[in-house]
Amino acid sequence: MKKINRKKFFTAIAAGTISLPFLIRMGGKPQAQTTEAPGIISGKRYQWRMVTTWPPNFPVLGEGCNLFAKWVNEMSGGRIEIKVYGGGELVPALETFDAVRNEAAELGSGAAYYWQGKAPAATFFTAVPFGMNAQQVNAWMLSGDGLKLWEEKYAEFGLVPFPGGNTGVQMGGWFNREINSLADLRGLKMRMPGLGGQVLERAGGTPVLLSGGDIYTGLERGVIDATEWIGPYHDYIMGFHQIAKYYYAPGWHETGSELEIIINKKKYDELPSDLQAIIRTAALRMNHWVLSEFEAKNSIYLEKLIREENVNLRQFPKDVLAQLKVYTDEVIREIVESNESAKKVYENYKAFQKRSSLWARSSEKIFYDEMLS
Ligand code: CA
């Protein structure tokens, strides 16, 4: 590179009088010692495939992936083009993790708790019953050890994880009977995946695994007595209010479910550093956008459900929640006692939650109790 006056150079960049092509020319022929932004110099373009666990263009989550692809394309000046595939379009939804590992796609979007069969620790990166809220989970991820632990775990699978959105607190679900005591959960066949399902089982219920597309008919035909899904916006779209009497809060089993973007580590490492930074920045933007969309849309649709659809909104009794929490502790204890890596992640999560809860109890909780009750 020609010797240049640094002060003049940066002033010119700030003033916009040096264009990108000029900067590229200044780089001249790529030299061995040039490590900065080699992609800009080589102009190498990447065409990536993004597989997802979401139905195509699924509200918020699929839409978020489409936006992520758009942002990456814009920021990279078209050097990375990402084609987004809904679940089943390139590979089945629940093969997203393996597809990215095996380079059938470069990246994917889903939720870590889908992969708990491969790594029990994974569940804690998405949702812990009676766990942290979205704000606390994000703090654990980005300013605590959460993401570091997640990266360590996924490195074992040749993957790089990024927080890719958060649903915020979910709803407790749709029921055709009132839940006044724990006895009302006995014998209840409910669609509830993950740790929540295991807790329900301990309470005498039967968790049933149904994919999103089968829940409505399952509930309508009595294959299940109750279901959880996400929150007011998605639940409204699914039409559960047409076939279930009671809508219960809160989603004790998913208090702030974190979603993920996963990238094949080899593919990610091959990118020049500026494109890696673009991916990281777009992922962070998606993380923020998804949570904002959930918060904004859920409040609109909860109001719609109550005012227009006359939905019976209920709260689980305190003693029911207290007992579900006891069962939760039992379920988690069994997982961490049998898996060292899950133990390490959960202990870190729990310690963060404890500190964070003290702060929340001493601040926001007082505000909410006083202003909203
Ligand atoms: Ca859910």
Side-chain angles (χ1 to χ4, degrees):
M1 200 179 198
K2 265 188 272 177
K3 200 166 166 61
I4 49 169
N5 179 314
R6 288 175 65 82
K7 197 175 167 201
K8 271 191 189 162
F9 183 70
F10 288 111
T11 311
I13 292 177
T17 50
I18 291 185
S19 65
L20 186 64
F22 176 77
L23 283 172
I24 296 167
R25 283 200 302 278
M26 284 298 292
K29 215 174 153 196
Q31 292 164 14
Q33 72 269 30
T34 305
T35 53
E36 294 151 311
I40 291 180
I41 295 162
S42 70
K44 184 168 177 186
R45 298 174 94 83
Y46 298 83
Q47 289 194 319
W48 276 14
R49 294 153 297 180
M50 183 178 202
V51 287
T52 71
T53 57
W54 324 118
N57 308 309
F58 190 62
V60 188
L61 306 175
E63 289 168 348
C65 293
N66 296 343
L67 282 171
F68 171 80
K70 179 172 168 275
W71 294 329
V72 168
N73 191 271
E74 283 171 358
M75 282 192 279
S76 68
R79 286 158 61 217
I80 306 191
E81 270 181 47
I82 296 173
K83 185 165 167 45
V84 179
Y85 295 90
E89 288 188 326
L90 188 64
V91 298
L94 294 180
E95 281 177 25
T96 293
F97 189 86
D98 285 334
V100 179
R101 283 177 73 191
N102 302 332
E103 298 183 29
E106 287 74 18
L107 73 168
S109 164
Y113 66 178
Y114 294 146
W115 327 124
Q116 65 179 319
K118 300 173 194 297
T123 197
F124 301 128
F125 297 120
T126 307
V128 176
F130 300 97
M132 294 194 272
N133 68 14
Q135 181 169 301
Q136 295 166 328
V137 167
N138 269 323
W140 179 58
M141 286 290 171
L142 302 173
S143 302
D145 297 328
L147 183 54
K148 196 171 95 341
L149 290 164
W150 200 359
E151 285 168 348
E152 266 175 36
K153 180 81 307 217
Y154 274 27
E156 294 170 18
F157 298 91
L159 295 172
V160 186
F162 297 88
N166 193 299
T167 65
V169 65
Q170 301 198 4
M171 281 294 280
W174 297 86
F175 297 78
N176 274 316
R177 63 164 90 144
E178 283 191 76
I179 306 299
N180 295 317
S181 72
L182 214 58
D184 295 315
L185 292 176
R186 282 190 203 119
L188 190 83
K189 287 175 288 175
M190 181 167 183
R191 186 263 177 192
M192 184 176 270
L195 292 182
Q198 293 177 45
V199 174
L200 176 72
E201 195 164 19
R202 219 157 270 229
T206 307
V208 180
L209 275 182
L210 284 180
S211 68
D214 296 326
I215 305 175
Y216 187 95
T217 23
L219 191 56
E220 197 179 27
R221 292 181 187 165
V223 177
I224 47 172
D225 309 309
T227 186
E228 69 82 56
W229 181 230
I230 308 180
Y233 178 41
H234 289 79
D235 292 6
Y236 179 92
I237 297 169
M238 293 287 262
F240 294 139
H241 53 282
Q242 296 157 3
I243 45 169
K245 276 192 201 148
Y246 305 105
Y247 194 22
Y248 268 86
W252 55 271
H253 60 302
E254 296 200 63
T255 56
S257 297
E258 188 70 22
L259 310 163
E260 67 181 11
I261 290 175
I262 47 174
I263 303 186
N264 180 287
K265 190 167 185 319
K266 197 172 127 243
K267 296 285 175 187
Y268 181 73
D269 289 344
E270 279 171 10
L271 288 181
S273 56
D274 66 322
L275 291 185
Q276 288 181 345
I278 284 169
I279 295 272
R280 281 198 301 276
T281 305
L284 206 54
R285 185 172 173 188
M286 178 175 164
N287 194 43
H288 194 55
W289 182 86
V290 166
L291 178 59
S292 304
E293 278 292 294
F294 270 109
E295 185 67 19
K297 294 266 168 55
N298 278 337
S299 38
I300 294 168
Y301 281 82
L302 179 62
E303 199 176 15
K304 247 174 153 27
L305 284 168
I306 296 169
R307 298 236 168 110
E308 294 173 18
E309 307 296 337
N310 300 313
V311 159
N312 279 303
L313 190 64
R314 295 277 200 275
Q315 273 184 34
F316 291 118
K318 274 188 180 169
D319 58 334
V320 169
L321 289 174
Q323 190 55 43
L324 289 172
K325 178 149 189 339
V326 171
Y327 292 140
T328 295
D329 292 341
E330 288 175 15
V331 166
I332 292 178
R333 199 178 313 127
E334 282 173 20
I335 294 172
V336 301
E337 275 173 3
S338 61
N339 188 286
E340 202 49 44
S341 160
K343 184 168 183 248
K344 183 179 167 188
V345 174
Y346 183 68
E347 283 180 351
N348 194 284
Y349 178 103
K350 201 65 192 167
F352 196 96
Q353 183 182 11
K354 205 172 165 196
R355 275 196 305 274
S356 196
S357 298
L358 172 64
W359 165 231
R361 273 201 309 276
S362 317
S363 54
E364 285 191 346
K365 182 173 186 301
I366 302 167
F367 171 77
Y368 283 128
D369 286 349
E370 294 303 320
M371 304 304 290
L372 300 177
S373 59

